Amino acid sequence: MLTLNNATVTFEGARHPALDNISLQIQEGSWTAIVGVNGSGKSTLLSALAGLVPLRSGTLKRSGAARIALLHQDADNQLVATSVRHELALSIPVEVAHDARAARIEAAIGRFDLAHVLDRNPHRLSGG
């Protein structure tokens, strides 16, 4: 479960908080949609849940195996490795044992038919 209580996020130099006193609870295995108009704080909320931006006040609690995977609108800006193989390796949490990491990478290669692009630069792959 993921619980956000009375969370406020304020960016440096901003006149008003990007998030102001937000609370929510997301149950494990549930599907949750965050919707709103441009500038309403959707990305800020998701970044706060993922721990990418600090809370000025409030609390964020993760229980069990709660993890946040965040893919922004411009996914290309989130690729940091120089090969698909390395990008796959970076997607697995560091606390996962080496053998399990290797198994997960191999499973992803098979599931998504990536063997032919493993050594290619992700930025050079077709967007289609």
Side-chain angles (χ1 to χ4, degrees):
M1 181 165 31
L2 189 65
T3 304
L4 193 64
N5 283 318
N6 303 318
T8 297
V9 172
T10 303
F11 293 111
E12 187 175 329
R15 294 180 62 195
H16 302 285
L19 298 177
D20 192 14
N21 200 33
I22 302 295
S23 296
L24 62 86
Q25 190 173 64
I26 300 173
Q27 298 293 326
E28 185 174 338
S30 68
W31 288 81
T32 303
I34 308 295
V35 296
V37 299
N38 286 347
S40 64
K42 299 178 302 290
S43 294
T44 301
L45 174 60
L46 294 172
S47 294
L49 291 172
L52 299 175
V53 297
L55 301 178
R56 184 182 82 191
S57 62
T59 59
L60 170 63
K61 294 181 183 177
R62 292 185 182 107
S63 60
R67 288 182 39 210
I68 300 292
L70 181 58
L71 183 63
H72 287 285
Q73 187 171 354
D74 189 356
D76 197 42
N77 288 337
Q78 297 176 117
L79 300 173
V80 297
T82 57
S83 73
V84 171
R85 181 186 318 273
H86 191 199
E87 200 68 53
L88 284 171
L90 290 173
S91 71
I92 300 170
V94 295
E95 63 270 11
V96 174
H98 177 73
D99 290 345
R101 291 173 68 85
R104 285 188 187 186
I105 291 170
E106 289 304 315
I109 291 167
R111 180 176 184 191
F112 298 106
D113 191 28
L114 298 174
H116 64 288
V117 297
L118 288 176
D119 295 321
R120 292 186 53 194
N121 186 319
H123 293 281
R124 303 272 186 230
L125 298 176
S126 168

PDB file of all heavy atoms in Angstrom, residues 63-94:
ATOM      1  N   SER A  63       4.210   0.420   2.089  1.00  0.00           N
ATOM      2  CA  SER A  63       4.213  -0.809   2.868  1.00  0.00           C
ATOM      3  C   SER A  63       4.248  -1.995   1.910  1.00  0.00           C
ATOM      4  O   SER A  63       3.822  -1.894   0.761  1.00  0.00           O
ATOM      5  CB  SER A  63       2.990  -0.883   3.780  1.00  0.00           C
ATOM      6  OG  SER A  63       1.810  -0.838   3.019  1.00  0.00           O
ATOM      7  N   GLY A  64       4.757  -3.088   2.392  1.00  0.00           N
ATOM      8  CA  GLY A  64       4.869  -4.268   1.541  1.00  0.00           C
ATOM      9  C   GLY A  64       5.890  -4.035   0.451  1.00  0.00           C
ATOM     10  O   GLY A  64       6.936  -3.441   0.667  1.00  0.00           O
ATOM     11  N   ALA A  65       5.575  -4.465  -0.740  1.00  0.00           N
ATOM     12  CA  ALA A  65       6.504  -4.360  -1.869  1.00  0.00           C
ATOM     13  C   ALA A  65       6.136  -3.199  -2.781  1.00  0.00           C
ATOM     14  O   ALA A  65       6.381  -3.256  -3.985  1.00  0.00           O
ATOM     15  CB  ALA A  65       6.505  -5.676  -2.642  1.00  0.00           C
ATOM     16  N   ALA A  66       5.538  -2.150  -2.232  1.00  0.00           N
ATOM     17  CA  ALA A  66       5.094  -1.029  -3.048  1.00  0.00           C
ATOM     18  C   ALA A  66       6.277  -0.372  -3.748  1.00  0.00           C
ATOM     19  O   ALA A  66       7.249   0.016  -3.118  1.00  0.00           O
ATOM     20  CB  ALA A  66       4.367  -0.001  -2.182  1.00  0.00           C
ATOM     21  N   ARG A  67       6.179  -0.294  -5.066  1.00  0.00           N
ATOM     22  CA  ARG A  67       7.176   0.374  -5.894  1.00  0.00           C
ATOM     23  C   ARG A  67       6.454   1.277  -6.872  1.00  0.00           C
ATOM     24  O   ARG A  67       5.338   0.989  -7.288  1.00  0.00           O
ATOM     25  CB  ARG A  67       8.004  -0.644  -6.687  1.00  0.00           C
ATOM     26  CG  ARG A  67       8.962  -1.427  -5.852  1.00  0.00           C
ATOM     27  CD  ARG A  67       9.789  -2.388  -6.682  1.00  0.00           C
ATOM     28  NE  ARG A  67      10.191  -1.844  -7.952  1.00  0.00           N
ATOM     29  CZ  ARG A  67      10.400  -2.578  -9.042  1.00  0.00           C
ATOM     30  NH1 ARG A  67      10.224  -3.866  -9.012  1.00  0.00           N
ATOM     31  NH2 ARG A  67      10.762  -2.020 -10.168  1.00  0.00           N
ATOM     32  N   ILE A  68       7.107   2.327  -7.252  1.00  0.00           N
ATOM     33  CA  ILE A  68       6.544   3.257  -8.223  1.00  0.00           C
ATOM     34  C   ILE A  68       7.420   3.225  -9.455  1.00  0.00           C
ATOM     35  O   ILE A  68       8.632   3.425  -9.374  1.00  0.00           O
ATOM     36  CB  ILE A  68       6.520   4.701  -7.670  1.00  0.00           C
ATOM     37  CG1 ILE A  68       5.691   4.791  -6.405  1.00  0.00           C
ATOM     38  CG2 ILE A  68       6.043   5.678  -8.727  1.00  0.00           C
ATOM     39  CD1 ILE A  68       4.229   4.587  -6.615  1.00  0.00           C
ATOM     40  N   ALA A  69       6.819   2.975 -10.599  1.00  0.00           N
ATOM     41  CA  ALA A  69       7.507   3.094 -11.884  1.00  0.00           C
ATOM     42  C   ALA A  69       6.887   4.290 -12.577  1.00  0.00           C
ATOM     43  O   ALA A  69       5.670   4.380 -12.709  1.00  0.00           O
ATOM     44  CB  ALA A  69       7.324   1.829 -12.704  1.00  0.00           C
ATOM     45  N   LEU A  70       7.708   5.210 -12.995  1.00  0.00           N
ATOM     46  CA  LEU A  70       7.213   6.463 -13.542  1.00  0.00           C
ATOM     47  C   LEU A  70       7.778   6.657 -14.941  1.00  0.00           C
ATOM     48  O   LEU A  70       8.990   6.617 -15.133  1.00  0.00           O
ATOM     49  CB  LEU A  70       7.646   7.608 -12.621  1.00  0.00           C
ATOM     50  CG  LEU A  70       7.228   9.016 -12.961  1.00  0.00           C
ATOM     51  CD1 LEU A  70       5.719   9.135 -13.041  1.00  0.00           C
ATOM     52  CD2 LEU A  70       7.761   9.978 -11.913  1.00  0.00           C
ATOM     53  N   LEU A  71       6.903   6.819 -15.905  1.00  0.00           N
ATOM     54  CA  LEU A  71       7.297   7.076 -17.278  1.00  0.00           C
ATOM     55  C   LEU A  71       6.657   8.388 -17.695  1.00  0.00           C
ATOM     56  O   LEU A  71       5.438   8.473 -17.856  1.00  0.00           O
ATOM     57  CB  LEU A  71       6.831   5.934 -18.199  1.00  0.00           C
ATOM     58  CG  LEU A  71       7.239   6.029 -19.646  1.00  0.00           C
ATOM     59  CD1 LEU A  71       8.758   5.975 -19.782  1.00  0.00           C
ATOM     60  CD2 LEU A  71       6.606   4.905 -20.440  1.00  0.00           C
ATOM     61  N   HIS A  72       7.494   9.422 -17.828  1.00  0.00           N
ATOM     62  CA  HIS A  72       6.976  10.739 -18.194  1.00  0.00           C
ATOM     63  C   HIS A  72       6.538  10.763 -19.650  1.00  0.00           C
ATOM     64  O   HIS A  72       6.839   9.856 -20.424  1.00  0.00           O
ATOM     65  CB  HIS A  72       8.039  11.811 -17.953  1.00  0.00           C
ATOM     66  CG  HIS A  72       8.258  12.115 -16.513  1.00  0.00           C
ATOM     67  ND1 HIS A  72       7.373  12.856 -15.767  1.00  0.00           N
ATOM     68  CD2 HIS A  72       9.244  11.767 -15.664  1.00  0.00           C
ATOM     69  CE1 HIS A  72       7.819  12.962 -14.526  1.00  0.00           C
ATOM     70  NE2 HIS A  72       8.949  12.306 -14.433  1.00  0.00           N
ATOM     71  N   GLN A  73       5.858  11.827 -20.023  1.00  0.00           N
ATOM     72  CA  GLN A  73       5.312  11.951 -21.368  1.00  0.00           C
ATOM     73  C   GLN A  73       6.401  11.838 -22.425  1.00  0.00           C
ATOM     74  O   GLN A  73       6.199  11.219 -23.457  1.00  0.00           O
ATOM     75  CB  GLN A  73       4.589  13.287 -21.497  1.00  0.00           C
ATOM     76  CG  GLN A  73       3.850  13.452 -22.794  1.00  0.00           C
ATOM     77  CD  GLN A  73       2.984  14.691 -22.784  1.00  0.00           C
ATOM     78  OE1 GLN A  73       2.841  15.384 -21.787  1.00  0.00           O
ATOM     79  NE2 GLN A  73       2.378  14.981 -23.908  1.00  0.00           N
ATOM     80  N   ASP A  74       7.548  12.434 -22.210  1.00  0.00           N
ATOM     81  CA  ASP A  74       8.657  12.347 -23.165  1.00  0.00           C
ATOM     82  C   ASP A  74       9.620  11.274 -22.671  1.00  0.00           C
ATOM     83  O   ASP A  74      10.625  11.561 -22.030  1.00  0.00           O
ATOM     84  CB  ASP A  74       9.366  13.694 -23.311  1.00  0.00           C
ATOM     85  CG  ASP A  74      10.378  13.695 -24.437  1.00  0.00           C
ATOM     86  OD1 ASP A  74      10.586  12.630 -25.068  1.00  0.00           O
ATOM     87  OD2 ASP A  74      10.976  14.758 -24.695  1.00  0.00           O
ATOM     88  N   ALA A  75       9.288  10.033 -22.969  1.00  0.00           N
ATOM     89  CA  ALA A  75      10.051   8.887 -22.451  1.00  0.00           C
ATOM     90  C   ALA A  75      11.500   8.904 -22.904  1.00  0.00           C
ATOM     91  O   ALA A  75      12.383   8.423 -22.195  1.00  0.00           O
ATOM     92  CB  ALA A  75       9.380   7.591 -22.891  1.00  0.00           C
ATOM     93  N   ASP A  76      11.789   9.464 -24.066  1.00  0.00           N
ATOM     94  CA  ASP A  76      13.152   9.471 -24.588  1.00  0.00           C
ATOM     95  C   ASP A  76      14.121  10.179 -23.643  1.00  0.00           C
ATOM     96  O   ASP A  76      15.279   9.811 -23.542  1.00  0.00           O
ATOM     97  CB  ASP A  76      13.179  10.125 -25.968  1.00  0.00           C
ATOM     98  CG  ASP A  76      14.441   9.807 -26.738  1.00  0.00           C
ATOM     99  OD1 ASP A  76      14.877   8.631 -26.707  1.00  0.00           O
ATOM    100  OD2 ASP A  76      15.002  10.729 -27.355  1.00  0.00           O
ATOM    101  N   ASN A  77      13.641  11.178 -22.922  1.00  0.00           N
ATOM    102  CA  ASN A  77      14.495  11.906 -21.981  1.00  0.00           C
ATOM    103  C   ASN A  77      14.850  11.089 -20.749  1.00  0.00           C
ATOM    104  O   ASN A  77      15.700  11.493 -19.961  1.00  0.00           O
ATOM    105  CB  ASN A  77      13.828  13.213 -21.550  1.00  0.00           C
ATOM    106  CG  ASN A  77      13.815  14.225 -22.658  1.00  0.00           C
ATOM    107  OD1 ASN A  77      14.620  14.158 -23.582  1.00  0.00           O
ATOM    108  ND2 ASN A  77      12.891  15.152 -22.605  1.00  0.00           N
ATOM    109  N   GLN A  78      14.205   9.957 -20.536  1.00  0.00           N
ATOM    110  CA  GLN A  78      14.461   9.127 -19.365  1.00  0.00           C
ATOM    111  C   GLN A  78      15.441   8.001 -19.641  1.00  0.00           C
ATOM    112  O   GLN A  78      15.827   7.285 -18.725  1.00  0.00           O
ATOM    113  CB  GLN A  78      13.140   8.550 -18.844  1.00  0.00           C
ATOM    114  CG  GLN A  78      12.222   9.648 -18.380  1.00  0.00           C
ATOM    115  CD  GLN A  78      10.890   9.127 -17.965  1.00  0.00           C
ATOM    116  OE1 GLN A  78      10.524   9.263 -16.812  1.00  0.00           O
ATOM    117  NE2 GLN A  78      10.163   8.521 -18.860  1.00  0.00           N
ATOM    118  N   LEU A  79      15.837   7.816 -20.886  1.00  0.00           N
ATOM    119  CA  LEU A  79      16.801   6.779 -21.232  1.00  0.00           C
ATOM    120  C   LEU A  79      18.200   7.311 -20.979  1.00  0.00           C
ATOM    121  O   LEU A  79      18.566   8.371 -21.471  1.00  0.00           O
ATOM    122  CB  LEU A  79      16.637   6.370 -22.702  1.00  0.00           C
ATOM    123  CG  LEU A  79      15.265   5.823 -23.071  1.00  0.00           C
ATOM    124  CD1 LEU A  79      15.169   5.616 -24.577  1.00  0.00           C
ATOM    125  CD2 LEU A  79      14.970   4.539 -22.330  1.00  0.00           C
ATOM    126  N   VAL A  80      18.984   6.571 -20.191  1.00  0.00           N
ATOM    127  CA  VAL A  80      20.311   7.068 -19.823  1.00  0.00           C
ATOM    128  C   VAL A  80      21.444   6.171 -20.283  1.00  0.00           C
ATOM    129  O   VAL A  80      22.590   6.590 -20.323  1.00  0.00           O
ATOM    130  CB  VAL A  80      20.423   7.273 -18.290  1.00  0.00           C
ATOM    131  CG1 VAL A  80      19.451   8.339 -17.829  1.00  0.00           C
ATOM    132  CG2 VAL A  80      20.198   5.972 -17.549  1.00  0.00           C
ATOM    133  N   ALA A  81      21.155   4.937 -20.633  1.00  0.00           N
ATOM    134  CA  ALA A  81      22.196   3.988 -21.013  1.00  0.00           C
ATOM    135  C   ALA A  81      22.490   4.098 -22.505  1.00  0.00           C
ATOM    136  O   ALA A  81      21.705   4.639 -23.279  1.00  0.00           O
ATOM    137  CB  ALA A  81      21.765   2.564 -20.660  1.00  0.00           C
ATOM    138  N   THR A  82      23.637   3.545 -22.896  1.00  0.00           N
ATOM    139  CA  THR A  82      24.038   3.590 -24.293  1.00  0.00           C
ATOM    140  C   THR A  82      23.672   2.326 -25.054  1.00  0.00           C
ATOM    141  O   THR A  82      23.950   2.223 -26.242  1.00  0.00           O
ATOM    142  CB  THR A  82      25.559   3.832 -24.411  1.00  0.00           C
ATOM    143  OG1 THR A  82      26.228   2.799 -23.694  1.00  0.00           O
ATOM    144  CG2 THR A  82      25.928   5.195 -23.855  1.00  0.00           C
ATOM    145  N   SER A  83      23.045   1.364 -24.374  1.00  0.00           N
ATOM    146  CA  SER A  83      22.570   0.161 -25.064  1.00  0.00           C
ATOM    147  C   SER A  83      21.263  -0.295 -24.418  1.00  0.00           C
ATOM    148  O   SER A  83      21.002  -0.026 -23.245  1.00  0.00           O
ATOM    149  CB  SER A  83      23.595  -0.965 -24.994  1.00  0.00           C
ATOM    150  OG  SER A  83      23.651  -1.517 -23.694  1.00  0.00           O
ATOM    151  N   VAL A  84      20.479  -1.006 -25.200  1.00  0.00           N
ATOM    152  CA  VAL A  84      19.222  -1.559 -24.693  1.00  0.00           C
ATOM    153  C   VAL A  84      19.520  -2.518 -23.551  1.00  0.00           C
ATOM    154  O   VAL A  84      18.824  -2.527 -22.529  1.00  0.00           O
ATOM    155  CB  VAL A  84      18.440  -2.250 -25.830  1.00  0.00           C
ATOM    156  CG1 VAL A  84      17.249  -3.007 -25.288  1.00  0.00           C
ATOM    157  CG2 VAL A  84      18.010  -1.226 -26.872  1.00  0.00           C
ATOM    158  N   ARG A  85      20.566  -3.313 -23.684  1.00  0.00           N
ATOM    159  CA  ARG A  85      20.946  -4.274 -22.644  1.00  0.00           C
ATOM    160  C   ARG A  85      21.197  -3.562 -21.309  1.00  0.00           C
ATOM    161  O   ARG A  85      20.704  -3.968 -20.267  1.00  0.00           O
ATOM    162  CB  ARG A  85      22.207  -5.022 -23.067  1.00  0.00           C
ATOM    163  CG  ARG A  85      22.683  -6.062 -22.078  1.00  0.00           C
ATOM    164  CD  ARG A  85      24.025  -6.672 -22.492  1.00  0.00           C
ATOM    165  NE  ARG A  85      24.154  -6.968 -23.884  1.00  0.00           N
ATOM    166  CZ  ARG A  85      23.774  -8.117 -24.469  1.00  0.00           C
ATOM    167  NH1 ARG A  85      23.218  -9.056 -23.748  1.00  0.00           N
ATOM    168  NH2 ARG A  85      23.950  -8.292 -25.756  1.00  0.00           N
ATOM    169  N   HIS A  86      21.948  -2.471 -21.345  1.00  0.00           N
ATOM    170  CA  HIS A  86      22.251  -1.724 -20.125  1.00  0.00           C
ATOM    171  C   HIS A  86      20.996  -1.052 -19.570  1.00  0.00           C
ATOM    172  O   HIS A  86      20.787  -0.997 -18.361  1.00  0.00           O
ATOM    173  CB  HIS A  86      23.348  -0.706 -20.399  1.00  0.00           C
ATOM    174  CG  HIS A  86      23.899  -0.076 -19.176  1.00  0.00           C
ATOM    175  ND1 HIS A  86      24.600   1.094 -19.200  1.00  0.00           N
ATOM    176  CD2 HIS A  86      23.850  -0.428 -17.864  1.00  0.00           C
ATOM    177  CE1 HIS A  86      24.944   1.434 -17.975  1.00  0.00           C
ATOM    178  NE2 HIS A  86      24.501   0.535 -17.143  1.00  0.00           N
ATOM    179  N   GLU A  87      20.139  -0.548 -20.450  1.00  0.00           N
ATOM    180  CA  GLU A  87      18.893   0.087 -20.007  1.00  0.00           C
ATOM    181  C   GLU A  87      18.013  -0.934 -19.277  1.00  0.00           C
ATOM    182  O   GLU A  87      17.414  -0.629 -18.249  1.00  0.00           O
ATOM    183  CB  GLU A  87      18.156   0.681 -21.213  1.00  0.00           C
ATOM    184  CG  GLU A  87      17.152   1.734 -20.876  1.00  0.00           C
ATOM    185  CD  GLU A  87      17.748   3.014 -20.335  1.00  0.00           C
ATOM    186  OE1 GLU A  87      18.641   3.601 -20.948  1.00  0.00           O
ATOM    187  OE2 GLU A  87      17.274   3.444 -19.250  1.00  0.00           O
ATOM    188  N   LEU A  88      17.962  -2.159 -19.784  1.00  0.00           N
ATOM    189  CA  LEU A  88      17.213  -3.220 -19.107  1.00  0.00           C
ATOM    190  C   LEU A  88      17.789  -3.485 -17.715  1.00  0.00           C
ATOM    191  O   LEU A  88      17.055  -3.624 -16.747  1.00  0.00           O
ATOM    192  CB  LEU A  88      17.249  -4.515 -19.920  1.00  0.00           C
ATOM    193  CG  LEU A  88      16.363  -4.571 -21.149  1.00  0.00           C
ATOM    194  CD1 LEU A  88      16.683  -5.812 -21.965  1.00  0.00           C
ATOM    195  CD2 LEU A  88      14.904  -4.539 -20.759  1.00  0.00           C
ATOM    196  N   ALA A  89      19.105  -3.547 -17.627  1.00  0.00           N
ATOM    197  CA  ALA A  89      19.749  -3.806 -16.335  1.00  0.00           C
ATOM    198  C   ALA A  89      19.436  -2.704 -15.331  1.00  0.00           C
ATOM    199  O   ALA A  89      19.232  -2.973 -14.141  1.00  0.00           O
ATOM    200  CB  ALA A  89      21.255  -3.947 -16.526  1.00  0.00           C
ATOM    201  N   LEU A  90      19.370  -1.470 -15.798  1.00  0.00           N
ATOM    202  CA  LEU A  90      19.079  -0.348 -14.909  1.00  0.00           C
ATOM    203  C   LEU A  90      17.635  -0.343 -14.414  1.00  0.00           C
ATOM    204  O   LEU A  90      17.318   0.314 -13.429  1.00  0.00           O
ATOM    205  CB  LEU A  90      19.371   0.977 -15.622  1.00  0.00           C
ATOM    206  CG  LEU A  90      20.841   1.272 -15.885  1.00  0.00           C
ATOM    207  CD1 LEU A  90      20.972   2.529 -16.740  1.00  0.00           C
ATOM    208  CD2 LEU A  90      21.615   1.419 -14.587  1.00  0.00           C
ATOM    209  N   SER A  91      16.767  -1.088 -15.082  1.00  0.00           N
ATOM    210  CA  SER A  91      15.354  -1.087 -14.702  1.00  0.00           C
ATOM    211  C   SER A  91      15.059  -2.001 -13.516  1.00  0.00           C
ATOM    212  O   SER A  91      13.952  -1.981 -12.984  1.00  0.00           O
ATOM    213  CB  SER A  91      14.494  -1.513 -15.897  1.00  0.00           C
ATOM    214  OG  SER A  91      14.672  -2.892 -16.174  1.00  0.00           O
ATOM    215  N   ILE A  92      16.041  -2.782 -13.095  1.00  0.00           N
ATOM    216  CA  ILE A  92      15.827  -3.739 -12.008  1.00  0.00           C
ATOM    217  C   ILE A  92      16.389  -3.159 -10.713  1.00  0.00           C
ATOM    218  O   ILE A  92      17.512  -2.664 -10.689  1.00  0.00           O
ATOM    219  CB  ILE A  92      16.499  -5.088 -12.347  1.00  0.00           C
ATOM    220  CG1 ILE A  92      15.881  -5.630 -13.638  1.00  0.00           C
ATOM    221  CG2 ILE A  92      16.340  -6.077 -11.203  1.00  0.00           C
ATOM    222  CD1 ILE A  92      16.595  -6.806 -14.205  1.00  0.00           C
ATOM    223  N   PRO A  93      15.633  -3.199  -9.633  1.00  0.00           N
ATOM    224  CA  PRO A  93      16.106  -2.635  -8.365  1.00  0.00           C
ATOM    225  C   PRO A  93      17.449  -3.244  -7.931  1.00  0.00           C
ATOM    226  O   PRO A  93      17.692  -4.440  -8.130  1.00  0.00           O
ATOM    227  CB  PRO A  93      15.007  -3.003  -7.372  1.00  0.00           C
ATOM    228  CG  PRO A  93      13.793  -3.219  -8.207  1.00  0.00           C
ATOM    229  CD  PRO A  93      14.286  -3.762  -9.507  1.00  0.00           C
ATOM    230  N   VAL A  94      18.306  -2.424  -7.346  1.00  0.00           N
ATOM    231  CA  VAL A  94      19.645  -2.866  -6.966  1.00  0.00           C
ATOM    232  C   VAL A  94      19.629  -3.945  -5.896  1.00  0.00           C
ATOM    233  O   VAL A  94      20.572  -4.730  -5.801  1.00  0.00           O
ATOM    234  CB  VAL A  94      20.529  -1.680  -6.502  1.00  0.00           C
ATOM    235  CG1 VAL A  94      20.763  -0.725  -7.650  1.00  0.00           C
ATOM    236  CG2 VAL A  94      19.901  -0.961  -5.327  1.00  0.00           C
TER     237      VAL A  94
END
